[in-house]
Amino acid sequence: MENKYNQIFASRTKALAVKVINNLSDVPYSDKVSVIRKQIFRSTTSVAANYRAMCRARSDKEKYAKICIVVEEADESVFWLEIIEEINMVSKEITEGLMKEALEILKVTSAYKSRLKIKAE
């Protein structure tokens, strides 16, 4: 059961990274866009890559360490989406959809982190 959940959630985290890349790649270049785009690309792809690594962890402590990174990067992704929304880098419809998914990923991974902390101790 947990493996199926992990596969589904790994796909979701990767899908968010792909959506962010696809929705922000065509925004015309400017200094502010370049910096923000690079940061959001890094944080969302890090969420996906580290969640995937967490699924392959060899111990509860390793799993916990990886989920801590996932939560931190998910929170950073939410931060960059807030900035993107505040500077009107893309339409509100785009940011709302991305933000909804990023917040849900952050909430779920934070709860999972709390559960894993008990096992890792």
Side-chain angles (χ1 to χ4, degrees):
M1 176 82 167
E2 187 173 343
N3 282 342
K4 184 172 174 117
Y5 169 82
N6 282 338
Q7 288 175 342
I8 291 168
F9 212 74
S11 293
R12 259 181 93 176
T13 59
K14 186 167 97 176
L16 176 62
V18 169
K19 285 179 192 173
V20 165
I21 292 166
N22 285 337
N23 281 294
L24 300 179
S25 288
D26 293 335
V27 176
Y29 177 84
S30 73
D31 288 341
K32 73 178 179 182
V33 167
S34 177
V35 170
I36 294 166
R37 183 172 27 218
K38 188 179 289 184
Q39 293 294 332
I40 188 73
F41 285 6
R42 285 182 178 164
S43 63
T44 55
T45 56
S46 180
V47 169
N50 281 290
Y51 190 86
R52 183 176 172 144
M54 190 263 331
C55 293
R56 289 171 169 62
R58 295 168 296 225
S59 69
D60 287 341
K61 286 184 179 187
E62 185 179 352
K63 189 177 268 197
Y64 182 73
K66 287 294 181 186
I67 199 68
C68 287
I69 296 168
V70 171
V71 171
E72 183 179 339
E73 294 292 339
D75 186 54
E76 184 177 335
S77 297
V78 169
F79 169 79
W80 288 115
L81 286 167
E82 289 170 354
I83 297 292
I84 289 166
E85 188 174 81
E86 289 177 25
I87 66 168
N88 300 310
M89 194 167 133
V90 293
S91 72
K92 195 151 189 90
E93 294 80 29
I94 291 172
T95 55
E96 283 177 351
L98 296 173
M99 181 66 82
K100 181 181 176 196
E101 182 66 358
L103 283 169
E104 193 167 321
I105 287 170
L106 176 59
K107 289 176 187 175
V108 169
T109 55
S110 293
Y112 193 40
K113 175 185 167 187
S114 296
R115 198 176 106 216
L116 285 176
K117 183 176 185 181
I118 295 165
K119 290 173 83 176
E121 291 178 337

PDB file of all heavy atoms in Angstrom, residues 24-38 89:
ATOM      1  N   LEU A  24       6.499  28.481 -17.167  1.00  0.00           N
ATOM      2  CA  LEU A  24       7.379  29.640 -16.978  1.00  0.00           C
ATOM      3  C   LEU A  24       8.485  29.755 -18.019  1.00  0.00           C
ATOM      4  O   LEU A  24       9.150  30.782 -18.097  1.00  0.00           O
ATOM      5  CB  LEU A  24       7.990  29.611 -15.576  1.00  0.00           C
ATOM      6  CG  LEU A  24       6.984  29.649 -14.424  1.00  0.00           C
ATOM      7  CD1 LEU A  24       7.708  29.590 -13.088  1.00  0.00           C
ATOM      8  CD2 LEU A  24       6.093  30.872 -14.497  1.00  0.00           C
ATOM      9  N   SER A  25       8.685  28.731 -18.808  1.00  0.00           N
ATOM     10  CA  SER A  25       9.770  28.754 -19.793  1.00  0.00           C
ATOM     11  C   SER A  25       9.600  29.828 -20.848  1.00  0.00           C
ATOM     12  O   SER A  25      10.592  30.385 -21.336  1.00  0.00           O
ATOM     13  CB  SER A  25       9.897  27.390 -20.474  1.00  0.00           C
ATOM     14  OG  SER A  25      10.428  26.456 -19.572  1.00  0.00           O
ATOM     15  N   ASP A  26       8.392  30.126 -21.227  1.00  0.00           N
ATOM     16  CA  ASP A  26       8.156  31.081 -22.315  1.00  0.00           C
ATOM     17  C   ASP A  26       7.993  32.523 -21.859  1.00  0.00           C
ATOM     18  O   ASP A  26       7.747  33.397 -22.686  1.00  0.00           O
ATOM     19  CB  ASP A  26       6.920  30.659 -23.113  1.00  0.00           C
ATOM     20  CG  ASP A  26       7.153  29.356 -23.869  1.00  0.00           C
ATOM     21  OD1 ASP A  26       8.325  29.046 -24.171  1.00  0.00           O
ATOM     22  OD2 ASP A  26       6.169  28.641 -24.140  1.00  0.00           O
ATOM     23  N   VAL A  27       8.129  32.773 -20.543  1.00  0.00           N
ATOM     24  CA  VAL A  27       8.045  34.155 -20.066  1.00  0.00           C
ATOM     25  C   VAL A  27       9.271  34.903 -20.599  1.00  0.00           C
ATOM     26  O   VAL A  27      10.401  34.422 -20.454  1.00  0.00           O
ATOM     27  CB  VAL A  27       8.004  34.202 -18.518  1.00  0.00           C
ATOM     28  CG1 VAL A  27       8.016  35.642 -18.022  1.00  0.00           C
ATOM     29  CG2 VAL A  27       6.783  33.457 -17.995  1.00  0.00           C
ATOM     30  N   PRO A  28       9.050  36.056 -21.243  1.00  0.00           N
ATOM     31  CA  PRO A  28      10.179  36.794 -21.817  1.00  0.00           C
ATOM     32  C   PRO A  28      11.266  37.098 -20.786  1.00  0.00           C
ATOM     33  O   PRO A  28      10.990  37.355 -19.616  1.00  0.00           O
ATOM     34  CB  PRO A  28       9.537  38.094 -22.329  1.00  0.00           C
ATOM     35  CG  PRO A  28       8.100  37.756 -22.517  1.00  0.00           C
ATOM     36  CD  PRO A  28       7.771  36.728 -21.468  1.00  0.00           C
ATOM     37  N   TYR A  29      12.494  37.099 -21.247  1.00  0.00           N
ATOM     38  CA  TYR A  29      13.653  37.307 -20.385  1.00  0.00           C
ATOM     39  C   TYR A  29      13.684  38.722 -19.788  1.00  0.00           C
ATOM     40  O   TYR A  29      13.392  39.698 -20.451  1.00  0.00           O
ATOM     41  CB  TYR A  29      14.963  37.080 -21.154  1.00  0.00           C
ATOM     42  CG  TYR A  29      16.167  37.368 -20.297  1.00  0.00           C
ATOM     43  CD1 TYR A  29      16.671  36.399 -19.442  1.00  0.00           C
ATOM     44  CD2 TYR A  29      16.757  38.624 -20.291  1.00  0.00           C
ATOM     45  CE1 TYR A  29      17.752  36.674 -18.622  1.00  0.00           C
ATOM     46  CE2 TYR A  29      17.843  38.903 -19.477  1.00  0.00           C
ATOM     47  CZ  TYR A  29      18.327  37.925 -18.640  1.00  0.00           C
ATOM     48  OH  TYR A  29      19.391  38.199 -17.815  1.00  0.00           O
ATOM     49  N   SER A  30      14.029  38.768 -18.528  1.00  0.00           N
ATOM     50  CA  SER A  30      14.437  39.995 -17.832  1.00  0.00           C
ATOM     51  C   SER A  30      15.274  39.513 -16.658  1.00  0.00           C
ATOM     52  O   SER A  30      15.248  38.325 -16.315  1.00  0.00           O
ATOM     53  CB  SER A  30      13.231  40.811 -17.357  1.00  0.00           C
ATOM     54  OG  SER A  30      12.610  40.185 -16.260  1.00  0.00           O
ATOM     55  N   ASP A  31      16.017  40.411 -16.030  1.00  0.00           N
ATOM     56  CA  ASP A  31      16.854  40.001 -14.908  1.00  0.00           C
ATOM     57  C   ASP A  31      16.026  39.370 -13.791  1.00  0.00           C
ATOM     58  O   ASP A  31      16.378  38.315 -13.266  1.00  0.00           O
ATOM     59  CB  ASP A  31      17.662  41.177 -14.358  1.00  0.00           C
ATOM     60  CG  ASP A  31      18.785  41.593 -15.291  1.00  0.00           C
ATOM     61  OD1 ASP A  31      19.175  40.768 -16.158  1.00  0.00           O
ATOM     62  OD2 ASP A  31      19.275  42.722 -15.162  1.00  0.00           O
ATOM     63  N   LYS A  32      14.910  40.016 -13.429  1.00  0.00           N
ATOM     64  CA  LYS A  32      14.104  39.486 -12.330  1.00  0.00           C
ATOM     65  C   LYS A  32      13.485  38.140 -12.711  1.00  0.00           C
ATOM     66  O   LYS A  32      13.454  37.223 -11.895  1.00  0.00           O
ATOM     67  CB  LYS A  32      13.037  40.471 -11.873  1.00  0.00           C
ATOM     68  CG  LYS A  32      11.871  40.651 -12.814  1.00  0.00           C
ATOM     69  CD  LYS A  32      10.841  41.599 -12.253  1.00  0.00           C
ATOM     70  CE  LYS A  32       9.694  41.770 -13.226  1.00  0.00           C
ATOM     71  NZ  LYS A  32       8.689  42.708 -12.746  1.00  0.00           N
ATOM     72  N   VAL A  33      13.028  38.017 -13.925  1.00  0.00           N
ATOM     73  CA  VAL A  33      12.439  36.751 -14.364  1.00  0.00           C
ATOM     74  C   VAL A  33      13.482  35.648 -14.362  1.00  0.00           C
ATOM     75  O   VAL A  33      13.225  34.533 -13.907  1.00  0.00           O
ATOM     76  CB  VAL A  33      11.791  36.901 -15.765  1.00  0.00           C
ATOM     77  CG1 VAL A  33      11.467  35.545 -16.373  1.00  0.00           C
ATOM     78  CG2 VAL A  33      10.537  37.758 -15.684  1.00  0.00           C
ATOM     79  N   SER A  34      14.656  35.948 -14.827  1.00  0.00           N
ATOM     80  CA  SER A  34      15.715  34.943 -14.906  1.00  0.00           C
ATOM     81  C   SER A  34      16.051  34.371 -13.536  1.00  0.00           C
ATOM     82  O   SER A  34      16.142  33.151 -13.362  1.00  0.00           O
ATOM     83  CB  SER A  34      16.968  35.569 -15.537  1.00  0.00           C
ATOM     84  OG  SER A  34      18.016  34.630 -15.556  1.00  0.00           O
ATOM     85  N   VAL A  35      16.222  35.218 -12.555  1.00  0.00           N
ATOM     86  CA  VAL A  35      16.566  34.773 -11.200  1.00  0.00           C
ATOM     87  C   VAL A  35      15.433  33.953 -10.591  1.00  0.00           C
ATOM     88  O   VAL A  35      15.652  32.858 -10.066  1.00  0.00           O
ATOM     89  CB  VAL A  35      16.897  35.994 -10.302  1.00  0.00           C
ATOM     90  CG1 VAL A  35      17.004  35.586  -8.847  1.00  0.00           C
ATOM     91  CG2 VAL A  35      18.168  36.661 -10.779  1.00  0.00           C
ATOM     92  N   ILE A  36      14.236  34.463 -10.693  1.00  0.00           N
ATOM     93  CA  ILE A  36      13.084  33.778 -10.092  1.00  0.00           C
ATOM     94  C   ILE A  36      12.813  32.456 -10.793  1.00  0.00           C
ATOM     95  O   ILE A  36      12.559  31.440 -10.143  1.00  0.00           O
ATOM     96  CB  ILE A  36      11.844  34.697 -10.105  1.00  0.00           C
ATOM     97  CG1 ILE A  36      12.089  35.891  -9.171  1.00  0.00           C
ATOM     98  CG2 ILE A  36      10.591  33.938  -9.710  1.00  0.00           C
ATOM     99  CD1 ILE A  36      11.110  37.018  -9.343  1.00  0.00           C
ATOM    100  N   ARG A  37      12.861  32.459 -12.103  1.00  0.00           N
ATOM    101  CA  ARG A  37      12.621  31.236 -12.865  1.00  0.00           C
ATOM    102  C   ARG A  37      13.636  30.158 -12.478  1.00  0.00           C
ATOM    103  O   ARG A  37      13.280  29.006 -12.259  1.00  0.00           O
ATOM    104  CB  ARG A  37      12.676  31.523 -14.365  1.00  0.00           C
ATOM    105  CG  ARG A  37      12.373  30.315 -15.209  1.00  0.00           C
ATOM    106  CD  ARG A  37      12.234  30.602 -16.689  1.00  0.00           C
ATOM    107  NE  ARG A  37      12.958  31.740 -17.162  1.00  0.00           N
ATOM    108  CZ  ARG A  37      12.486  32.588 -18.095  1.00  0.00           C
ATOM    109  NH1 ARG A  37      11.309  32.401 -18.640  1.00  0.00           N
ATOM    110  NH2 ARG A  37      13.220  33.602 -18.501  1.00  0.00           N
ATOM    111  N   LYS A  38      14.900  30.526 -12.380  1.00  0.00           N
ATOM    112  CA  LYS A  38      15.938  29.566 -12.006  1.00  0.00           C
ATOM    113  C   LYS A  38      15.670  28.983 -10.611  1.00  0.00           C
ATOM    114  O   LYS A  38      15.791  27.780 -10.390  1.00  0.00           O
ATOM    115  CB  LYS A  38      17.311  30.241 -12.029  1.00  0.00           C
ATOM    116  CG  LYS A  38      18.461  29.286 -11.831  1.00  0.00           C
ATOM    117  CD  LYS A  38      19.796  30.009 -11.897  1.00  0.00           C
ATOM    118  CE  LYS A  38      20.072  30.430 -13.325  1.00  0.00           C
ATOM    119  NZ  LYS A  38      21.394  31.053 -13.518  1.00  0.00           N
ATOM    120  N   MET A  89       4.139  37.867 -12.788  1.00  0.00           N
ATOM    121  CA  MET A  89       5.025  37.288 -13.811  1.00  0.00           C
ATOM    122  C   MET A  89       4.239  36.478 -14.836  1.00  0.00           C
ATOM    123  O   MET A  89       4.587  36.457 -16.013  1.00  0.00           O
ATOM    124  CB  MET A  89       6.062  36.403 -13.115  1.00  0.00           C
ATOM    125  CG  MET A  89       7.226  35.997 -13.966  1.00  0.00           C
ATOM    126  SD  MET A  89       8.520  35.300 -12.902  1.00  0.00           S
ATOM    127  CE  MET A  89       8.909  33.831 -13.833  1.00  0.00           C
TER     128      MET A  89
END
